[in-house]
Amino acid sequence: MTELQSIAPRDKAEILAQALPYIRKFHGKTLVIKYGGNAMTDPALQADFAEDVVLLKLVGMNPVVVHGGGPQIETALNRLGKKGEFVQGMRVTDAETMEVVEWVLAGEVQQDIVGLINQAGGKAVGLTGRDGGMIRAQKLKMVDNHDPSKEYDVGQVGDIVSIDPSVVKALQDDAFIPVISPIGFGEDNESYNINADVVASKLATVLKAEKLVLLTNTPGVLDKAGQLLTDLTAKRIDELFADGTISGGMLPKIAGALDAAKSGVNAVHIIDGRVPHAMLLEILTDQAYGTMIRSH
């Protein structure tokens, strides 16, 4: 927070006062945060993110962090001489890749985040979808975007069957900050790699979260000319899907966000994780730092 040191006392007070209505409005409310992109790989942004999460907890909100780990998985696979393969934005996951995904996500990445939040003064606890029987999954049926009769086998990529949030609620009530790896389990105890945006969106719905915040490497949702769309409705998103404006890795992100908005999450924010403290600015000020999605 060194930026604040160069600001005049009156302006500092103004900034803090602006946050007050938001702190009051969201006190006791759950915020589900999908953590990914540059915010997750740049050390300065990692520290900012951890501070933001701890501050939100200290002022009475209940942040729940769901993380991805695409670049870290890619690095680990390269070390083993395996090449990552994607179909329609989803990683093809054979048994060997799944092992790598588990030890990268539930080990290295998760524990880094837990450590950062604890270092910033919070009390973070790492979980996967196995803990407390949280995320039941089944094999994802991947249908071709253009030909519904064509199906792809993407291996141990999961589709969420159900989420039991009781372990998350128990931790929240105890002043802990849950940090969740997007791994689910199937009927035969097999593991599934699940898209982290999808997990965050479904979890936000099940927890009846006030907000779902998705950190990305873009300013938000952009139109064909590259301009930021700050406010989107369900109808407008359908149009952007149809004309190909939203494609690739943004597809599962926006689809999940839209589901959450339609299922009772009050606001979904897709924000630029490359901006220092973007999350605090989005939640505690009037300034829009990304795209907000509304259900209607």
Side-chain angles (χ1 to χ4, degrees):
M1 292 285 188
T2 44
E3 312 92 89
L4 272 179
Q5 285 158 5
S6 57
I7 298 173
R10 188 184 173 82
D11 292 337
K12 267 189 214 177
E14 199 62 45
I15 292 165
L16 294 169
Q18 193 188 46
L20 196 59
Y22 295 98
I23 291 172
R24 193 177 284 130
K25 184 178 177 185
F26 304 135
H27 188 90
K29 299 285 189 354
T30 294
L31 315 172
V32 174
I33 302 149
K34 155 63 192 336
Y35 180 46
N38 278 50
M40 205 172 164
T41 50
D42 175 319
L45 292 171
Q46 286 175 343
D48 288 346
F49 173 80
E51 282 177 10
D52 289 2
V53 170
V54 172
L55 181 65
L56 293 171
K57 188 71 177 174
L58 288 174
V59 298
M61 297 175 208
N62 283 322
V64 176
V65 178
V66 177
H67 68 86
Q72 293 91 333
I73 292 168
E74 205 59 38
T75 304
L77 288 171
N78 287 342
R79 282 207 304 263
L80 296 172
K82 277 185 82 76
K83 184 88 188 79
E85 189 190 331
F86 290 86
V87 176
Q88 294 178 180
M90 292 285 188
R91 177 185 297 281
V92 178
T93 309
D94 59 17
E96 191 184 18
T97 302
M98 189 64 222
E99 272 184 42
V100 175
V101 167
E102 287 203 79
W103 60 253
V104 172
L105 291 184
E108 178 192 340
V109 176
Q110 183 195 83
Q111 289 310 302
D112 279 350
I113 302 165
V114 166
L116 283 163
I117 293 173
N118 292 347
Q119 196 179 358
K123 291 200 294 184
V125 175
L127 301 167
T128 75
R130 287 185 171 281
D131 292 301
M134 186 180 8
I135 305 173
R136 290 183 180 276
Q138 63 191 13
K139 189 179 171 75
L140 178 76
K141 284 186 166 52
M142 172 73 83
V143 176
D144 188 276
N145 283 338
H146 306 293
D147 178 2
S149 66
K150 193 174 168 189
E151 210 174 275
Y152 300 102
D153 185 352
V154 284
Q156 284 176 259
V157 175
D159 202 5
I160 296 171
V161 174
S162 63
I163 292 187
D164 177 348
S166 48
V167 65
V168 174
K169 287 180 175 167
L171 287 167
Q172 281 183 320
D173 295 344
D174 245 346
F176 291 105
I177 297 166
V179 175
I180 299 164
S181 304
I183 294 165
F185 65 98
E187 274 192 351
D188 299 320
N189 198 28
E190 71 277 29
S191 293
Y192 285 106
N193 178 20
I194 307 173
N195 181 286
D197 296 303
V198 173
V199 171
S201 302
K202 286 277 202 299
L203 190 61
T205 303
V206 171
L207 287 169
K208 299 182 173 59
E210 174 69 26
K211 285 181 183 293
L212 168 63
V213 180
L214 304 169
L215 288 164
T216 64
N217 276 351
T218 66
V221 180
L222 307 176
D223 66 13
K224 278 222 154 71
Q227 298 299 305
L228 178 66
L229 301 165
T230 54
D231 202 351
L232 285 178
T233 59
K235 183 175 178 295
R236 182 79 183 102
I237 287 171
D238 287 336
E239 290 165 8
L240 295 172
F241 277 152
D243 73 5
T245 304
I246 297 173
S247 61
M250 265 290 181
L251 278 171
K253 201 178 292 290
I254 308 291
L258 187 57
D259 279 350
K262 285 177 172 171
S263 309
V265 176
N266 281 343
V268 180
H269 302 269
I270 295 174
I271 64 173
D272 194 344
R274 300 167 301 181
V275 176
H277 298 291
M279 192 161 61
L280 277 194
L281 295 166
E282 182 70 49
I283 294 170
L284 297 182
T285 71
D286 297 329
Q287 181 68 47
Y289 274 85
T291 301
M292 181 164 141
I293 294 176
R294 297 174 291 120
S295 56
H296 52 275

